[in-house]
Amino acid sequence: MEAPTHPDHGGQGKPKRNWTLIVCVLILFIVLVNGSVAWWHTLILTPQLIGQNSAEKENQFELIRPDIAALEVNDFLEIQKTGTVSLTGLRTEILSLLNDPAVHGNYALYVEDLTTGAWMGLNEREKFFPASLAKLPIVVAIYKRIQDGMISPSDKIKLEATDIDSRFGTLGFVEPGAEYTIKDLIYYTLVQSDNTAARTLLNQLSLDDVMEARLAMGLDWPKEKDDVTKASVKEYANMFRSLYLSTYLRRVFSNEILSLLADTPFEEQLVSGIPSSIRLAHKYGVTPDEESTHDCGIVYLKDHHYIICAMSKGATVKEANRVIGSTSKVTYEFMTK
């Protein structure tokens, strides 16, 4: 019997298939097919990003804050440099300052970056007698009546003997019966923190007026119209945020209040901690017994703005001015690093 001829030697037998070559061809075919599908998927379903301005893509950032979403790339990157959502480092620095044995009294502090919403607080919910900070919601309620057409800034009001309060302000030494416009009384109340002007304005309001303004701007309600309800630094920060965002009053009135608060002559506390070139709209307050001293406001940095509100009790005015001035300085330096 003749032995089969090996195909490698030119025999007539059936050649053996090259399975390796077949497998390679199949793999190449699959790769080509999948690559074509992926290419078509990219072409048809994926937005064409190359060469397209991001600002032109409709709803590209629909879940991001609108003013941030609308920025051009370069503007966004510039703003992003100053953005932070953590003020933990600032809290550590403030704690170190307040834990110094040379510091006397109890303090509360609240800081909020108005660009990002980042905030930090120390004893931020502790209640304090607000002192002259209580004048701010009175003025807000007056502006609401002006806004509603109930009164006019040019209306004249006579000072009543019961309104005269000589403990703070120049109107406390004016004879009863003297007339001042509402606009003048607002100026004296905010810029000079005049007690007589504030009491006179308060007499133009109802309890409902005061309650509405306080509640709308994040403060607790009073039991009586002239009740100086205790409040925290976080609550008074709400008032400044409301003015800044103009959530209760029209923009013209919110801006007018902040402009007056930026023109006050009080240069201790918050003012002492920042350069004179930086604008600060703030309200200073001290209780008659000088056991509580406060200062709250908005610092207007070039790149972003922030709220800082500080309250104290159990310290002399001089000591409170020094400590709160130091916290303002530390905060400013942290925000401008």
Side-chain angles (χ1 to χ4, degrees):
M1 184 178 218
E2 186 177 353
T5 303
H6 195 282
D8 289 343
H9 295 90
Q12 299 297 317
K14 187 177 181 180
K16 183 179 179 180
R17 293 182 178 178
N18 192 333
W19 291 105
T20 302
L21 178 62
I22 294 173
V23 169
C24 290
V25 171
L26 286 173
I27 291 175
L28 179 61
F29 176 76
I30 292 171
V31 169
L32 289 173
V33 170
N34 286 341
S36 298
V37 172
W39 180 78
W40 279 102
H41 181 271
T42 301
L43 181 65
I44 297 173
L45 301 178
T46 304
Q48 300 300 294
L49 301 180
I50 299 176
Q52 184 175 354
N53 189 325
S54 62
E56 296 175 354
K57 294 193 289 293
E58 186 178 0
N59 296 328
Q60 183 190 11
F61 306 121
E62 60 179 321
L63 301 182
I64 295 177
R65 203 173 79 179
D67 58 332
I68 297 295
L71 290 173
E72 294 291 340
V73 173
N74 290 337
D75 294 332
F76 165 72
L77 293 176
E78 192 63 31
I79 287 179
Q80 194 181 49
K81 293 177 184 177
T82 61
T84 178
V85 293
S86 175
L87 299 183
T88 302
L90 174 60
R91 191 176 194 278
T92 301
E93 292 185 39
I94 297 295
L95 274 174
S96 177
L97 187 156
L98 295 180
N99 287 335
D100 188 319
V103 171
H104 302 288
N106 297 320
Y107 297 87
L109 182 71
Y110 180 86
V111 178
E112 179 180 330
D113 187 327
L114 287 165
T115 301
T116 65
W119 67 275
M120 63 76 61
L122 292 170
N123 303 320
E124 71 274 11
R125 298 187 184 279
E126 185 175 347
K127 302 281 188 174
F128 292 76
F129 284 108
S132 287
L133 268 64
K135 293 169 183 171
L136 184 53
I138 293 174
V139 171
V140 168
I142 286 291
Y143 269 106
K144 184 62 166 61
R145 286 182 64 80
I146 293 173
Q147 179 174 298
D148 292 343
M150 306 299 293
I151 57 176
S152 169
S154 60
D155 290 347
K156 291 186 176 181
I157 302 173
K158 288 184 179 182
L159 300 185
E160 302 292 338
T162 53
D163 295 334
I164 303 297
D165 185 344
S166 60
R167 289 176 297 178
F168 209 96
T170 58
L171 295 190
F173 301 95
V174 174
E175 291 294 325
E179 287 188 339
Y180 292 86
T181 64
I182 288 179
K183 182 178 180 179
D184 290 337
L185 293 171
I186 289 172
Y187 174 86
Y188 280 110
T189 300
L190 291 184
V191 176
Q192 297 188 11
S193 199
D194 191 288
N195 287 358
T196 301
R199 290 174 68 88
T200 303
L201 289 177
L202 183 61
N203 283 337
Q204 313 309 307
L205 301 168
S206 68
L207 175 60
D208 287 343
D209 293 331
V210 176
M211 288 182 65
E212 179 187 323
R214 289 178 64 91
L215 291 175
M217 302 192 76
L219 291 177
D220 200 356
W221 60 87
K223 296 182 177 67
E224 298 176 5
K225 187 174 70 171
D226 58 352
D227 178 28
V228 184
T229 306
K230 287 185 176 183
S232 67
V233 288
K234 200 169 191 303
E235 288 173 313
Y236 264 94
N238 289 339
M239 290 208 72
F240 280 91
R241 190 187 309 106
S242 177
L243 290 170
Y244 184 79
L245 299 175
S246 211
T247 59
Y248 181 57
L249 297 175
R250 285 167 47 192
R251 290 176 295 178
V252 62
F253 298 129
S254 293
N255 191 77
E256 190 167 316
I257 290 174
L258 291 171
S259 295
L260 290 170
L261 292 176
D263 195 32
T264 61
F266 306 106
E267 297 183 352
E268 301 84 10
Q269 297 203 28
L270 295 182
V271 177
S272 67
I274 62 176
S276 58
S277 59
I278 302 298
R279 201 169 192 190
L280 168 64
H282 69 119
K283 186 71 190 76
Y284 174 91
V286 58
T287 55
D289 58 7
E290 298 190 349
E291 279 293 309
S292 295
T293 310
H294 318 312
D295 204 359
C296 293
I298 301 175
V299 178
Y300 294 88
L301 299 181
K302 179 182 178 181
D303 297 321
H304 61 285
H305 308 150
Y306 65 89
I307 293 173
I308 178 169
C309 190
M311 292 184 172
S312 72
K313 59 184 176 183
T316 64
V317 173
K318 182 178 180 180
E319 172 69 357
N321 286 346
R322 181 185 72 81
V323 174
I324 293 176
S326 296
T327 63
S328 178
K329 184 175 186 292
V330 169
T331 301
Y332 169 79
E333 291 174 348
F334 182 90
M335 290 294 192
T336 54
K337 283 181 180 177

